[in-house]
Amino acid sequence: MKLRTVTLTILLAALVFTCKNDDDDDEVVVVPARDRTEVYEENKAAIDAYLDTHFYNYDEFDFDNPYSEANDSFQVVIDTIAGENSDKIPLSQRPELIAKQVADAEEEDLIYTMYYLMVREGEGDVIHFTDRAYLQYTGTLLDGTIFDSTVTPVGLNMSTVGSDFGVVDGFREGTIEFKTSVSNSENGDGTVTYHKHGIGAIIMPSGLGYYSLTLSKVPAYSCLVFTLRTPGVIYLDHDSDGVYSYLEDLNNNGDFSDDDTDGDDVPNIIDIDDDGDDVPTIWEDLDNDGDPTNDIGANGIPNYLDPTETASNQDED
């Protein structure tokens, strides 16, 4: 579907997903933006009602053995509490449902509450906000309308860096709470089973989704629900300087734009000389151990962030 930005206008309006099928002819319309706080209050009421009136298939998951092979094929399915399902426990009362606060990208004083359903965290690698995660997911509206889905894992960049397209904020903030699989096995029919990956769901207000964008199956200001599994991840190095991008978020605030060691207005994540000493970061692996984050000067500052420690003055020592 609509996981990729289509025009510059859309890119500036909101971060959209990166994956888009070739046969997808979704038409994207940007409508005049409403007051973000007002929209959030409406979204919050809708999400609260959704959580109270919907459940997921928790009785099909073996909580006593969460990382069993049987659970590896489990997929979250959310449905309405009604009829033969009238005795189900609503999402709002499930201990797996976790609230998370995220600031609005446009108005930092506006703090959204989104939710992720942690059915199983996963036992593999951590997924960072700068990584490319490989995911299986289904996206729906609160009324159950499916607007996107994938069966096999799709690689999605969690953030917009350089020429990368990123995902919407709520999807990223939910996905990074999970970990990947530890292994996989072929089933002999062309399919693959992943083992011990994360399993869950994400529920977000429109301010963390497409907000005022209107897509063919997603009206403006729609709350979004994603069920997902997290098979894998690739740790990206956006400037190819030998330091994974997630390590270049020095203050660990989830924002790479404010980490600029040499003050040259180029964030470290896309700066090939982070400390401005005219020695490329990747060359500051002075003891040739393949790790440019070492500290030859033993002053508590890694070489690639310390302009006083370069290959030349190390040779002089």
Side-chain angles (χ1 to χ4, degrees):
M1 135 38 258
K2 48 216 57 162
L3 296 187
R4 183 172 56 203
T5 359
V6 181
T7 67
L8 178 59
T9 300
I10 298 169
L11 177 60
L12 295 176
L15 295 180
V16 205
F17 283 91
T18 55
C19 166
K20 182 177 174 66
N21 297 328
D22 292 338
D23 59 355
D24 182 9
D25 57 357
D26 285 327
E27 183 176 344
V28 182
V29 178
V30 182
V31 301
R34 295 172 51 199
D35 179 78
R36 300 183 78 86
T37 300
E38 178 182 282
V39 171
Y40 174 51
E41 290 301 322
E42 295 174 0
N43 286 175
K44 184 177 184 300
I47 289 175
D48 288 344
Y50 178 86
L51 296 177
D52 286 337
T53 58
H54 288 73
F55 76 102
Y56 83 98
N57 53 330
Y58 55 82
D59 51 3
E60 298 175 16
F61 187 84
D62 182 3
F63 286 97
D64 292 330
N65 302 285
Y67 290 98
S68 66
E69 288 192 16
N71 282 339
D72 286 339
S73 59
F74 179 82
Q75 299 188 50
V76 172
V77 177
I78 299 176
D79 202 353
T80 306
I81 298 177
E84 62 181 16
N85 295 322
S86 59
D87 62 342
K88 300 300 184 181
I89 300 173
L91 289 165
S92 60
Q93 296 180 26
R94 294 298 305 181
E96 303 92 331
L97 188 72
I98 303 172
K100 182 175 184 177
Q101 280 65 53
V102 180
D104 184 279
E106 301 292 329
E107 300 177 16
E108 293 184 357
D109 291 337
L110 175 57
I111 306 297
Y112 296 114
T113 296
M114 59 168 286
Y115 297 88
Y116 59 95
L117 186 70
M118 181 67 78
V119 179
R120 188 171 80 174
E121 180 182 16
E123 289 193 336
D125 295 324
V126 172
I127 300 173
H128 308 94
F129 79 103
T130 55
D131 298 335
R132 179 179 299 124
Y134 283 82
L135 312 170
Q136 297 165 300
Y137 63 87
T138 296
T140 71
L141 305 181
L142 295 185
D143 65 6
T145 299
I146 297 176
F147 61 84
D148 190 24
S149 64
T150 178
V151 176
T152 56
V154 172
L156 299 174
N157 292 333
M158 292 293 99
S159 292
T160 302
V161 181
S163 61
D164 288 347
F165 290 106
V167 298
V168 293
D169 291 351
F171 191 87
R172 177 185 66 250
E173 293 298 325
T175 299
I176 63 177
E177 299 295 335
F178 295 86
K179 296 179 182 179
T180 70
S181 64
V182 298
S183 63
N184 64 77
S185 56
E186 297 184 3
N187 299 319
D189 59 359
T191 63
V192 175
T193 296
Y194 297 90
H195 304 295
K196 302 184 179 182
H197 52 278
I199 303 172
I202 304 168
I203 303 162
M204 71 186 78
S206 64
L208 297 176
Y210 300 116
Y211 194 56
S212 59
L213 296 183
T214 298
L215 295 88
S216 64
K217 296 181 181 179
V218 183
Y221 310 115
S222 292
C223 302
L224 305 178
V225 179
F226 288 92
T227 59
L228 81 163
R229 293 143 55 93
T230 57
V233 67
I234 291 179
Y235 291 170
L236 300 180
D237 176 5
H238 287 87
D239 53 7
S240 300
D241 66 355
V243 181
Y244 286 130
S245 292
Y246 78 88
L247 294 173
E248 308 231 50
D249 177 25
L250 301 178
N251 54 14
N252 295 310
N253 68 345
D255 179 6
F256 57 78
S257 66
D258 61 359
D259 298 285
D260 178 14
T261 299
D262 56 8
D264 62 353
D265 295 324
V266 179
N268 290 359
I269 195 171
I270 54 173
D271 191 343
I272 62 172
D273 178 12
D274 293 315
D275 57 8
D277 61 0
D278 295 325
V279 178
T281 293
I282 200 166
W283 290 1
E284 302 217 51
D285 176 20
L286 304 183
D287 55 5
N288 298 312
D289 66 352
D291 179 11
T293 63
N294 52 21
D295 177 16
I296 295 298
N299 61 357
I301 304 175
N303 301 330
Y304 80 106
L305 298 178
D306 187 352
T308 67
E309 288 294 340
T310 66
S312 59
N313 63 35
Q314 181 62 31
D315 289 342
E316 293 173 1
D317 294 340

